[in-house]
Amino acid sequence: MFEKILIANRGEIALRVIRACQEMGIKSVAVHSTADSDAMHVRMADESVCIGPASSTDSYLSKAAIISACEITGAQAVHPGYGFLSENAAFAQALQDHGITFIGPTAEHIRIMGDKITAKETAAALGIPVVPGSAGGVPDFETAIGVAAKIGFPVIIKATAGGGGRGMKVAQNAEELEIAFRTARSEAKNAFGNDEVYIEKYLQTPRHIEIQVFGDGKGKAVHLGERDCSLQRRHQKVFEEAPGPVITPAQRARIGKVCADAVAKINYIGAGTIEFLFENGEFYFIEMNTRLQVEHPVTEAIFGIDLVREQIRVASGMDLSFGQDDLVINGHAIEVRINAEKLPNFSPCPGRVRMYHAPGGYGVRMDSALYSGYSIPPYYDSLIGKLIVHGRDRPEALARLKRALGELIVDGIDTTVPLFTALLEEPDVLSGQYNTHWLEKWLAAEFGA
Ligand code: ADP
């Protein structure tokens, strides 16, 4: 087992990893930018290293600075969290070249899954059902129109290098397709430095269902069921739950096995998430994330398993501490993402938190790096906390969420808490009857946003 791990991240996820290290008797090293000297992850880690200025390009995304920090502190492994360098194949490779363990999959697996076209081709070859669409990239409008004629409108144009809900355009007809195709390519070029796009059937009423998988890198893999992340704004998740309210045990077992078998076949190591759209009882692969997800705690809650601890174990060469038969779902868990944003436009709202009080009590987990008096810097993601509740069933989890939201105090800045308070009054949310378009429609009706 490692003696010292460096966490190449900040905020709540850095704390999450430090906590796992502490419980495992592993020393932790925090890295931080000059804007984060006062951040909680710096205070909580055993050691810390300043790796650069506020701009993440020169700090949290600087491979050289992070590798130097490992060498200075003697860290044997790096946990990348999510975002930043977590899905950067070159980073995983560079660590390996320096004899440092990347707590995650191999550079090759990251590379395959990081390019969405290659990922989709790989998934299909491994027996995973995919969304109907173009075979690979679409080089010109003539090809695009040919694909659309075959699969039917509406279609969605997606950047192969896309991520974070960006680089997608929907077209309802040929006219829209011409404009969407052109703008999708130029936007992809600007945002990701790669203008390759592909086309998929645009599903009208899908739910976003993702399967958590875990591989030991030696040909064994398990699945930990699904998370339903259908409540989205601009293709980004805001509310996640496990198990999915409409997934049957038979559907879970079937798609779970397909996913676990697929990752076992490629000797995948560590945590991964295979994302699907789910419509009319069918699953359609959209992408795979080769890292820990923001919403992993809902899976931890219902299975009673610490996923970060497990990531560290398999990265050090140990076997998984559980098998498929040990995994039994216990109750229902919900996570809401609390962002420093002002409604109704969700404009970023960093600033000084005068007073912070986390909710507590039975079945409540608050993952956040906030503290009273902390100044949220304006340079990074607006996620400031995740509130996770666990109950014996969905109604109990919903009641607990409402109670916990009432206890939470983040005084001094605007947050997305009022959004969740309002959503918990909605019959569709209470009954679990929503798809990936529900929240956008609700926001438009509520705020005209
Ligand atoms: P990203 O990597 O940017 O998160 P994804 O491919 O995971 O992109 O898609 C994010 C979300 O976009 C999905 O959860 C879904 O809401 C929507 N989406 C993606 N592909 C389709 C599709 N073919 N039809 C309908 N919605 C889609």
Side-chain angles (χ1 to χ4, degrees), residues 116 131 156 158 162-166 168 198 200-204 206 208 229 232 235-237 275-277 286-287 289 436-437:
K116 291 188 171 198
V131 187
I156 183 165
K158 299 168 87 167
R166 295 178 307 148
M168 288 183 266
Y198 63 109
E200 272 178 2
K201 177 97 190 141
Y202 183 66
L203 302 182
Q204 312 268 350
H208 174 112
C229 315
Q232 303 181 351
H235 303 304
Q236 280 191 298
K237 303 157 190 168
E275 296 193 333
F276 293 92
L277 294 176
I286 44 175
E287 67 162 346
N289 292 320
T436 56
H437 307 303

Side-chain angles (χ1 to χ4, degrees), residues 113-351:
M113 292 302 167
D115 177 90
K116 291 188 171 198
I117 291 175
T118 315
K120 207 173 161 182
E121 285 167 358
T122 309
L126 289 167
I128 298 175
V130 300
V131 187
S134 57
V138 175
D140 49 47
F141 175 63
E142 284 64 44
T143 315
I145 200 83
V147 173
K150 210 166 100 208
I151 60 176
F153 283 103
V155 298
I156 183 165
I157 305 157
K158 299 168 87 167
T160 192
R166 295 178 307 148
M168 288 183 266
K169 288 262 174 292
V170 179
Q172 303 289 343
N173 51 48
E175 216 174 300
E176 282 184 23
L177 180 61
E178 185 161 12
I179 303 163
F181 183 75
R182 222 175 321 117
T183 45
R185 280 189 74 148
S186 71
E187 282 181 21
K189 176 105 196 147
N190 288 332
F192 315 113
N194 176 354
D195 68 356
E196 187 163 31
V197 298
Y198 63 109
I199 295 185
E200 272 178 2
K201 177 97 190 141
Y202 183 66
L203 302 182
Q204 312 268 350
T205 56
R207 297 183 77 112
H208 174 112
I209 302 288
E210 56 184 39
I211 305 292
Q212 176 74 55
V213 290
F214 225 106
D216 68 358
K218 305 169 201 165
K220 263 208 215 102
V222 296
H223 73 87
L224 292 94
E226 78 284 0
R227 294 181 285 261
D228 187 323
C229 315
S230 301
L231 286 176
Q232 303 181 351
R233 178 178 174 271
R234 303 205 168 152
H235 303 304
Q236 280 191 298
K237 303 157 190 168
V238 301
F239 176 112
E240 302 105 343
E241 59 186 310
V246 303
I247 304 298
T248 65
Q251 286 167 335
R252 172 177 311 119
R254 175 170 65 88
I255 195 70
K257 184 169 185 327
V258 167
C259 292
D261 288 351
V263 296
K265 217 180 289 175
I266 59 171
N267 284 335
Y268 187 84
I269 183 163
T273 296
I274 305 186
E275 296 193 333
F276 293 92
L277 294 176
F278 178 74
E279 196 175 71
N280 302 325
E282 297 295 332
F283 292 91
Y284 302 97
F285 171 90
I286 44 175
E287 67 162 346
M288 176 167 181
N289 292 320
T290 51
R291 56 169 166 83
L292 193 69
Q293 304 264 106
V294 176
E295 59 275 19
H296 76 277
V298 293
T299 301
E300 296 187 321
I302 63 166
F303 286 109
I305 280 174
D306 180 335
L307 289 174
V308 176
R309 181 189 182 96
E310 218 58 41
Q311 285 187 298
I312 295 170
R313 279 176 58 98
V314 298
S316 79
M318 293 169 78
D319 290 336
L320 283 171
S321 70
F322 55 87
Q324 192 68 57
D325 294 343
D326 301 320
L327 296 169
V328 181
I329 294 178
N330 170 25
H332 196 96
I334 303 174
E335 172 184 286
V336 294
R337 296 192 190 192
I338 299 178
N339 291 350
E341 287 170 357
K342 190 174 169 60
L343 302 179
N345 299 321
F346 296 83
S347 42
C349 192

